Amino acid sequence: MKTLNQSLVVLFFTLFFLFFFSNRVFALEYTISFTGSGAGTVIDSVVVKNLSLNSQVIVPQGSDLKLVNQLNSDLLFNSYSKNISVCQNSFSDMINVTFLSVQNSNAQIQVFGTNGTMLIGVTENLQAGKNSIELLLPCGVFILRIAGKGYSYATKLISNLQLNAKPSIRLLNSFSQTTATLQKSKNSVITMQYYSGNLLLYRAVSGKNTTIVTDKPIGNATTNFEFVECKDADANYYSVVKIGRQTWMAENLRTTRFRNSVAMYEIVIDSLWGLSKDLNWCYLDNSPENNLKYGKLYNWDVVSDFGNIAPVGWHVATCAEWDTLATYLGGTGVAGGKLKEIGIPTWKNPNYKATNESGFSALPGGSRHYGGKFYDPVSSYYFGNDAKWWCREQFSVGWGFSVALGYSTDAISILNATPKRTGCSIRCVKD
């Protein structure tokens, strides 16, 4: 009996220490602060994407990011909640929430379960003063988190709705006030779920300049964003990303003019695209809605030195610079996956081995065949399947070089001989 009791005692303490130390070992809590330099020292906001978990938060100006591997109510309630009130609407099963915004800015509104899982989240542009939202939630207890520029608070929500309705958040009113006074609160901290080894992508904005950085944090850190102006002749500003020693545009070119203000020509009619010898551009599928996301497609002639299509301080990437990029990312056989935006909402399934760990954020803008169709019957380059960019060099009188990525491979193809009248995207590199 004594031996049995001793064994039980040993077992108890063994389990206790295993539980205690395992919780301590696996408890993760990192604080990430942000600074800016170069063309911008004040950071307006940082969009943080956890590429490994497919989640996102927005860190407003003056706030820190807290990374934890276990979200809970104590971490979410990191500021006073006296500036927020909740009213249950007994007639419609909706929950009305009124809160105070300290200034005009975007605010992130998120609802979490008690286990820390985010149920729904939206971003709204709010005016300074009193704001109201309406929420529809399934039956249960939840935590509402609202974070804007200069404020962050949370409150508990209880929903008695018995129907299995889809969660929703709707902005009811945003009342502008001359002054909005917040009660004293702690420094704003935005909490995000994170596990060791997860890949984060930071998209920081300072004025009109945007910089992208990727990271796998291993502890408390300060991330500095070096802002670089990248503005074309049409006054479009572009996100930039530093990869190795190169600084690249993280978006495709959208300009319609050269630096000397000489205009290029939009070609809409398919039959005219291949016949024209002018400096041409078009929207993907001739749809202006694709412009901001995918940029424009150009024939090769626009990348010649005439007028210089690149933003001041930048130039169209050469084949050698594409090769340097690929080498830095492990070689042409694997670099493509590290350049592609993750997921399959835009890239065709399976978007093979896409990680975007470089921050290059390549999207499948396809190309325009020299015959005018947005499909190449020979190489099958098409919107959703592939991305294709011009190199600065020409292959011959009627041919240029291009670079390509595909949905079914993690390779990058460089030095592709391509008819100059083909429509391809353009990426530029800092001088």
Side-chain angles (χ1 to χ4, degrees), residues 23-45:
N23 277 328
R24 289 182 63 87
V25 168
F26 292 106
L28 180 151
E29 186 175 320
Y30 302 153
T31 298
I32 310 297
S33 300
F34 302 111
T35 59
S37 60
T41 56
V42 177
I43 300 174
D44 299 326
S45 65

Side-chain angles (χ1 to χ4, degrees), residues 18-328:
L18 282 173
F19 174 80
F20 179 78
F21 284 107
S22 64
N23 277 328
R24 289 182 63 87
V25 168
F26 292 106
L28 180 151
E29 186 175 320
Y30 302 153
T31 298
I32 310 297
S33 300
F34 302 111
T35 59
S37 60
T41 56
V42 177
I43 300 174
D44 299 326
S45 65
V46 181
V47 178
V48 184
K49 292 183 179 181
N50 188 320
L51 300 180
S52 303
L53 300 180
N54 194 26
S55 60
Q56 174 179 304
V57 298
I58 299 177
V59 181
Q61 183 183 115
S63 302
D64 290 335
L65 174 68
K66 180 173 285 188
L67 301 174
V68 295
N69 61 356
Q70 195 169 26
L71 293 174
N72 56 58
S73 58
D74 291 334
L75 289 170
L76 290 170
F77 281 99
N78 53 34
S79 61
Y80 300 106
S81 301
K82 295 179 181 179
N83 298 296
I84 184 170
S85 62
V86 179
C87 178
Q88 184 82 40
N89 190 326
S90 59
F91 296 101
S92 65
D93 291 319
M94 305 297 290
I95 301 174
N96 293 333
V97 178
T98 302
F99 60 96
L100 196 63
S101 173
V102 68
Q103 56 187 302
N104 297 344
S105 69
N106 286 334
Q108 191 165 15
I109 305 170
Q110 300 170 309
V111 177
F112 295 87
T114 54
N115 63 352
T117 302
M118 189 173 76
L119 182 68
I120 187 174
V122 299
T123 299
E124 295 285 358
N125 189 287
L126 303 179
Q127 296 182 351
K130 186 184 294 185
N131 295 271
S132 297
I133 58 173
E134 185 179 68
L135 300 99
L136 179 65
L137 301 172
C139 184
V141 179
F142 304 94
I143 297 167
L144 172 66
R145 172 71 180 279
I146 301 175
K149 191 173 181 179
Y151 64 92
S152 174
Y153 33 77
T155 191
K156 184 181 292 184
L157 302 175
I158 299 176
S159 175
N160 298 314
L161 182 64
Q162 298 303 315
L163 299 176
N164 187 23
K166 183 179 179 180
S168 67
I169 300 174
R170 184 166 70 94
L171 178 65
L172 296 178
N173 295 297
S174 184
F175 301 102
S176 178
Q177 293 182 184
T178 304
T179 59
T181 305
L182 284 174
Q183 298 186 26
K184 185 178 180 181
S185 65
K186 302 176 183 178
N187 291 332
S188 175
V189 176
I190 305 301
T191 304
M192 186 180 204
Q193 197 158 22
Y194 174 83
Y195 297 97
S196 181
N198 283 176
L199 179 63
L200 301 185
L201 184 146
Y202 304 126
R203 182 184 178 89
V205 177
S206 179
K208 294 183 178 181
N209 301 308
T210 304
T211 294
I212 291 175
V213 171
T214 57
D215 190 23
K216 293 181 179 180
I218 57 174
N220 297 336
T222 297
T223 297
N224 181 71
F225 299 101
E226 183 179 354
F227 291 99
V228 178
E229 184 178 85
C230 186
K231 182 179 72 170
D232 66 26
D234 281 340
N236 297 309
Y237 284 80
Y238 298 90
S239 304
V240 306
V241 59
K242 188 173 183 179
I243 306 174
R245 295 185 178 182
Q246 298 174 310
T247 300
W248 287 79
M249 286 170 45
E251 305 172 66
N252 293 338
L253 196 67
R254 301 190 295 273
T255 189
T256 62
R257 294 184 299 155
F258 295 98
R259 287 185 201 170
N260 60 5
S261 297
V262 172
M264 294 169 274
Y265 301 95
E266 180 184 9
I267 301 295
V268 176
I269 300 173
D270 290 354
S271 59
L272 295 182
W273 179 266
L275 296 175
S276 174
K277 296 182 180 180
D278 292 319
L279 305 166
N280 299 330
W281 66 268
C282 65
Y283 297 113
L284 176 60
D285 279 347
N286 285 325
S287 175
E289 288 76 14
N290 288 324
N291 184 51
L292 186 61
K293 185 173 184 178
Y294 295 98
K296 294 179 173 65
L297 299 177
Y298 302 87
N299 61 17
W300 183 87
D301 290 324
V302 305
V303 308
S304 67
D305 285 338
F306 174 75
N308 207 330
I309 193 174
V312 174
W314 297 71
H315 60 271
V316 176
T318 64
C319 291
E321 286 170 325
W322 280 102
D323 188 68
T324 297
L325 173 66
T327 300
Y328 179 80

